Amino acid sequence: MNATLQCLINCVPLQEAFLTNLAHPYQCCASLKVGDASCLACEIDKLLLEHFGSSVGIDTIAALEEKSNDLSSTLVTNVVVPSEPEPSRENCGHPVIPSNFLAEVWKHSTVRHLARHDQHDAQEFYHAFIDGLETDVLSYQKTLLGMQQAIKCQSQIKPLQPPAAPPQSSIKDIFEGSLRSVLICDQCGCKRSQTESFLNLSLPLKNEFPSQSEVTTREKMTTRRETSNITACLKHFTDPETLSDPIYCPSCKRKSKTLKQHTFAKLPRVLCLHLKRFDAANNKKISDFVSYPASNLDMGKYLPHWCEKVVSTESKDSDSNEIDVDAESPKVLYDLFATVNHRGTLNQGHYTSNVKCGDHWYHCNDAFVCDAGEGNGEKEVLLAEGAYMLFYIKKDGN
């Protein structure tokens, strides 16, 4: 949990949603909530506030609670509200302990199956947590919308207004993309497609690289960086594959050889790439080194128009069935801001994370946080073993 949480806490769009746009102020939610149901959005709001407060030397939660109490006193006794707390260098960098967060996670319906101290998958936690976060934010917004409508109905003056729009998600707008899955008839080129949403993209790995015992560390880095990289994984994911059984084609009116292909119908603002290192079928972990860029990962080439296979009915020459390679795809660029790394085996191990704050990289190992390496630490992050989840943010203007 800690490794994934470090990545989310340092996700700028998530910080903006809660701290700038006030997607879910925990004090407001607490005043509206009935019962003691857990709320992941309240807990992440508190963590982000504590994280920001730690960076400037302010106990933000205590300050907000005091401000709330003083405001209540002002309304009753007309006492003057004190000024804002001053930042203190002595308190800068105080650790944020997510014990309350953990307790709420274990009680929440979407994440309850990951409770207790068993070994769990980081990407499984990430997916369940974002789902729960989305549910709680939408529930809060729906409650607010209902209150606004009730107030309008009670008002004596009722100006003509369009009906209120349903609450919109501010969480999945950040993390959710959609895949276009298409079946292509190899005879006539007829396409049948459907879209499916994703929060993280699981990329298969090839297990055909030399082991660490066969080459030196330096040779291993060079060899594997040339043969295994995230671009090759993405290309493999979006390449068309021939299905083993023929599928009925509504155009041909018969079963025919069929291709299946995935492309990206919508790219999210924050792209999470999950490298599938755990091979349960063969009961082993794939430890191959995979290289990935720190900046300018181009996802535009994987959009449907630019990589989706086109079957020509005039010729079955495979070379003539591809999109024009001379046409340049649009640039949709992403920069890396966090990674989750795994050390260990299929059945046991440990997750750590690397996060980028400003231009500097930090290595997070539970309670221990340090510089990721020399300079800004980027080189060490890119060469680290066991990359498991890669978090990219879309560059402005894309």
Side-chain angles (χ1 to χ4, degrees), residues 163-351:
Q168 298 295 317
S169 165
S170 58
I171 302 303
K172 287 193 175 179
D173 284 347
I174 299 173
F175 298 100
E176 187 177 78
S178 60
L179 289 172
R180 171 180 160 91
S181 177
V182 59
L183 296 178
I184 309 169
C185 176
D186 192 54
Q187 299 299 316
C188 68
C190 174
K191 293 183 177 181
R192 291 148 290 168
S193 66
Q194 64 180 18
T195 58
E196 54 184 299
S197 61
F198 70 90
L199 294 176
N200 60 282
L201 189 68
S202 295
L203 300 175
L205 299 182
K206 294 181 179 180
N207 189 18
E208 52 188 33
F209 305 112
S211 65
Q212 186 171 1
S213 61
E214 295 173 350
V215 290
T216 64
T217 302
R218 185 172 181 178
E219 289 173 341
K220 175 188 64 176
M221 294 301 183
T222 303
T223 303
R224 291 185 178 177
R225 188 160 55 243
E226 291 174 352
T227 56
S228 180
N229 57 67
I230 203 68
T231 302
C233 294
L234 286 166
K235 183 179 183 304
H236 175 72
F237 180 83
T238 55
D239 278 346
E241 60 173 326
T242 303
L243 298 180
S244 56
D245 297 322
I247 302 294
Y248 179 80
C249 173
S251 178
C252 297
K253 305 296 183 183
R254 61 187 176 85
K255 289 186 176 181
S256 60
K257 178 181 176 183
T258 304
L259 305 175
K260 183 177 181 180
Q261 187 175 16
H262 285 107
T263 57
F264 293 91
K266 174 192 171 186
L267 289 166
R269 188 176 178 190
V270 170
L271 177 66
C272 176
L273 301 179
H274 162 230
L275 304 181
K276 296 176 68 174
R277 294 191 174 276
F278 301 136
D279 185 359
N282 296 309
N283 195 32
K284 66 177 182 178
K285 175 190 171 184
I286 302 174
S287 300
D288 299 324
F289 179 82
V290 178
S291 67
Y292 47 91
S295 60
N296 295 330
L297 173 66
D298 186 9
M299 296 296 294
K301 65 183 77 173
Y302 308 112
L303 295 173
H305 180 74
W306 304 100
C307 79
E308 197 166 279
K309 188 176 181 66
V310 176
V311 175
S312 171
T313 57
E314 298 177 358
S315 171
K316 292 303 176 182
D317 182 3
S318 60
D319 293 336
S320 66
N321 294 340
E322 303 297 331
I323 294 291
D324 182 6
V325 294
D326 294 329
E328 185 177 356
S329 63
K331 298 290 184 181
V332 184
L333 304 179
Y334 284 80
D335 290 342
L336 186 74
F337 73 88
T339 72
V340 172
N341 297 63
H342 181 269
R343 291 186 178 182
T345 64
L346 174 67
N347 299 313
Q348 62 181 1
H350 182 63
Y351 289 105

Side-chain angles (χ1 to χ4, degrees), residues 68-137:
S68 177
N69 293 334
D70 289 336
L71 183 59
S72 300
S73 300
T74 301
L75 295 175
V76 176
T77 63
N78 202 27
V79 177
V80 177
V81 178
S83 59
E84 299 292 335
E86 293 293 330
S88 170
R89 289 188 175 182
E90 296 179 358
N91 295 326
C92 281
H94 69 266
V96 176
I97 304 173
S99 54
N100 291 336
F101 176 88
L102 178 62
E104 293 302 314
V105 164
W106 282 1
K107 292 189 297 182
H108 199 276
S109 58
T110 63
V111 201
R112 190 180 298 149
H113 63 287
L114 301 177
R116 300 193 172 89
H117 300 284
D118 299 330
Q119 295 283 332
H120 292 294
D121 193 349
Q123 70 90 21
E124 185 182 2
F125 169 78
Y126 166 77
H127 199 286
F129 178 76
I130 296 298
D131 274 339
L133 197 59
E134 162 83 353
T135 299
D136 290 342
V137 169

